[in-house]
Amino acid sequence: MASTEDKAANKENVSSWKDSIYNPRTGELLGRTASSWALILLFYLVFYCFLAGMFALTMWVMLLTLDDYVPRYRDRVPEPGLVIRPNSLDIAFNKSDSKNYKTYVNHLESFLQRYNDSMQENNDDCISGEYYMQDDGEMTKKVCPFRRTFLSLCSGLSDTDFGYQEGKPCVLLKMNRIIGLKPIGDPYINCTIKKDHPVQMHYFPSEGRIDKMYFPYYGKKAHENYVQPLVAVKLLLTKEDYNKELAVECRVEGTNLRNNDERDKFLGRVTFRIKVVE
């Protein structure tokens, strides 16, 4: 049996442990009085308010240096890449099965909605072959029209299947938007297929030209209704080309834009594969 001294010692230990949390004799909580806790909380409240104020002031000063219309730093993307529509680098379909290529057709049709005449009729007529400079101080820039009718057989108007039903598919190409870009020369798109015998292609607009009147681009906010000029390539595949995977490379030519950088295979060019099953 525990002695009277042991019981007294246990009670003292329990009392000491409870007092470390709350001491009713001194009114201390966790070793501090109410006034001490109030001073500590007041200090941290002032301290964190000061930090929040410093952060807000820093952000406000930084935002004052930014332009709503033009990014401050544009050196990471000095030249445009080349992209294709439909949005796939591996195009494969059975030309006898409409369900098989319907995804590509729907994507092209959806993409070209912004190029309908109803969307382009309010844009300004521009002078072909000349940059459309708008440095007159107006914040909202005017837009040169690019109608889908310019794409002729690949417009989806006369042929709603964009050539996929007949095994002669259309592919649309465009350059990425770069603010202030003014390509020197007369840019055009040229595509080649890596195989033993050449494959004929039709380009729309003629010769795959990209008119300089669509440059420069002034940014998403200033050029709100801007649409990129397109080049459509219709691949005139024959039966000899069916059931084979063909690698197609398209490049921006005729200008100072880079298209042969081995570190970036999408800079001024794009390579995609196409396979048509009969």
Side-chain angles (χ1 to χ4, degrees), residues 218-235:
Y218 286 93
K220 187 175 182 180
K221 189 169 184 179
H223 243 154
E224 186 176 357
N225 297 319
Y226 178 84
V227 291
Q228 292 138 289
L230 305 175
V231 170
V233 181
K234 187 175 181 64
L235 303 172

Side-chain angles (χ1 to χ4, degrees), residues 191-217:
C191 298
T192 56
I193 294 183
K194 301 173 183 178
K195 56 173 295 183
D196 295 336
H197 63 279
V199 172
Q200 286 190 332
M201 305 179 197
H202 283 171
Y203 295 90
F204 309 101
S206 178
E207 300 179 344
R209 298 286 178 183
I210 301 176
D211 203 302
K212 289 195 293 186
M213 68 181 178
Y214 299 104
F215 303 96
Y217 170 60

Side-chain angles (χ1 to χ4, degrees), residues 90-159:
D90 290 285
I91 302 173
F93 62 94
N94 186 331
K95 74 183 190 70
S96 302
D97 184 1
S98 61
K99 295 181 180 179
N100 200 251
Y101 57 76
K102 200 65 177 176
T103 301
Y104 302 126
V105 172
N106 290 341
H107 186 195
L108 290 173
E109 179 61 33
S110 176
F111 173 72
L112 288 174
Q113 288 302 303
R114 293 192 64 192
Y115 295 85
N116 285 334
D117 285 352
S118 59
M119 301 290 290
Q120 296 294 313
E121 61 185 5
N122 294 326
N123 293 337
D124 286 14
D125 291 328
C126 305
I127 301 176
S128 179
E130 296 183 9
Y131 299 125
Y132 191 21
M133 304 301 298
Q134 301 180 67
D135 299 327
D136 51 6
E138 290 290 335
M139 301 310 296
T140 302
K141 306 301 181 182
K142 298 177 181 179
V143 179
C144 298
F146 190 100
R147 298 179 175 86
R148 64 187 295 179
T149 52
F150 296 170
L151 303 178
S152 187
L153 299 179
C154 289
S155 65
L157 299 176
S158 59
D159 178 8

Side-chain angles (χ1 to χ4, degrees), residues 5-191:
E5 293 180 356
D6 292 338
K7 291 181 178 179
N10 289 336
K11 287 182 178 179
E12 185 177 346
N13 290 335
V14 172
S15 176
S16 176
W17 177 79
K18 289 182 178 179
D19 288 348
S20 66
I21 298 177
Y22 176 70
N23 191 329
R25 295 184 298 276
T26 60
E28 293 179 345
L29 178 65
L30 297 176
R32 291 185 180 275
T33 62
S35 60
S36 178
W37 278 115
L39 289 174
I40 289 177
L41 292 175
L42 179 62
F43 168 78
Y44 279 107
L45 177 62
V46 173
F47 177 68
Y48 284 114
C49 286
F50 173 76
L51 291 181
M54 286 292 294
F55 176 76
L57 178 63
T58 303
M59 292 297 295
W60 178 71
V61 172
M62 185 193 70
L63 291 174
L64 288 179
T65 66
L66 301 180
D67 190 325
D68 290 339
Y69 291 88
V70 181
R72 184 174 179 84
Y73 299 106
R74 292 177 286 160
D75 54 338
R76 293 190 63 185
V77 189
E79 299 193 27
L82 194 63
V83 295
I84 70 166
R85 293 293 183 270
N87 191 18
S88 175
L89 297 179
D90 290 285
I91 302 173
F93 62 94
N94 186 331
K95 74 183 190 70
S96 302
D97 184 1
S98 61
K99 295 181 180 179
N100 200 251
Y101 57 76
K102 200 65 177 176
T103 301
Y104 302 126
V105 172
N106 290 341
H107 186 195
L108 290 173
E109 179 61 33
S110 176
F111 173 72
L112 288 174
Q113 288 302 303
R114 293 192 64 192
Y115 295 85
N116 285 334
D117 285 352
S118 59
M119 301 290 290
Q120 296 294 313
E121 61 185 5
N122 294 326
N123 293 337
D124 286 14
D125 291 328
C126 305
I127 301 176
S128 179
E130 296 183 9
Y131 299 125
Y132 191 21
M133 304 301 298
Q134 301 180 67
D135 299 327
D136 51 6
E138 290 290 335
M139 301 310 296
T140 302
K141 306 301 181 182
K142 298 177 181 179
V143 179
C144 298
F146 190 100
R147 298 179 175 86
R148 64 187 295 179
T149 52
F150 296 170
L151 303 178
S152 187
L153 299 179
C154 289
S155 65
L157 299 176
S158 59
D159 178 8
T160 56
D161 287 321
F162 295 92
Y164 284 77
Q165 182 180 21
E166 58 179 344
K168 295 176 172 57
C170 291
V171 174
L172 307 181
L173 298 109
K174 64 173 184 173
M175 292 194 297
N176 291 334
R177 302 179 183 185
I178 302 292
I179 295 177
L181 177 69
K182 292 187 291 184
I184 298 174
D186 293 309
Y188 66 93
I189 300 295
N190 182 58
C191 298

